[in-house]
Amino acid sequence: MTEELQTGLIRISDDVVATIAGLAALETPGIAAMSGGISEGLAKRLSGKNVQKGVSVEVGQTEAAIDLRIIVHYGIPIQEVCRQLQLNVRESVENMTGLHVVEVNIKVEGVAFKEDDLEEQQPQQNRLK
């Protein structure tokens, strides 16, 4: 976003919008994690740019489009989680930046089970001993 005022310009970078969207997504009940994917990891290694995991944004002069890749918790209705996620992300980005969010696209890339959570915690517990 670039806004020209009598006192100067206001610019909001894509990274700022991606960070706001990512934080809003992780605060949404039912979201286990964001999914980075192979291409995002490659882009980060090649460019050295800090890429927000699971979030892609396109920011124009007054509008933004947001794409999210997520992993949901097992047993929760995916369509309800995704609707709430769209609302939370839209509200957060619009309130914090003043941009109009024209779309929030969501791709569900996985389901997290309770066993997955236990497997992730066990290696950390073994390291502490």
Side-chain angles (χ1 to χ4, degrees), residues 4-108:
E4 190 168 343
L5 303 172
Q6 291 179 353
T7 57
L9 294 174
I10 298 173
R11 292 188 180 136
I12 299 175
S13 78
D14 292 4
D15 289 342
V16 170
V17 175
T19 299
I20 294 167
L23 290 172
L26 291 174
E27 292 174 354
T28 303
I31 303 298
M34 303 300 290
S35 176
I38 295 171
S39 61
E40 188 171 284
L42 182 62
K44 185 175 182 178
R45 275 185 254 129
L46 292 177
S47 68
K49 187 177 179 183
N50 185 13
V51 179
Q52 179 68 34
K53 182 178 180 182
V55 181
S56 301
V57 299
E58 288 184 36
V59 179
Q61 293 291 324
T62 59
E63 297 178 332
I66 301 166
D67 295 325
L68 302 169
R69 293 179 309 282
I70 62 168
I71 298 171
V72 298
H73 286 291
Y74 177 77
I76 298 175
I78 293 173
Q79 70 278 10
E80 291 176 20
V81 170
C82 290
R83 277 192 216 106
Q84 188 60 50
L85 175 58
Q86 287 174 319
L87 292 172
N88 290 351
V89 169
R90 180 183 309 274
E91 184 178 303
S92 293
V93 171
E94 287 182 350
N95 287 341
M96 291 186 72
T97 65
L99 292 167
H100 173 66
V101 177
V102 293
E103 60 186 25
V104 178
N105 301 309
I106 300 170
K107 181 177 182 185
V108 179

Side-chain angles (χ1 to χ4, degrees), residues 32 73 111-127:
H73 286 291
V111 177
F113 299 96
K114 294 288 183 192
E115 295 172 6
D116 291 342
D117 295 337
L118 293 175
E119 287 175 12
E120 290 176 5
Q121 291 174 359
Q122 285 175 351
Q124 292 174 351
Q125 290 172 353
N126 291 339
R127 282 187 235 146

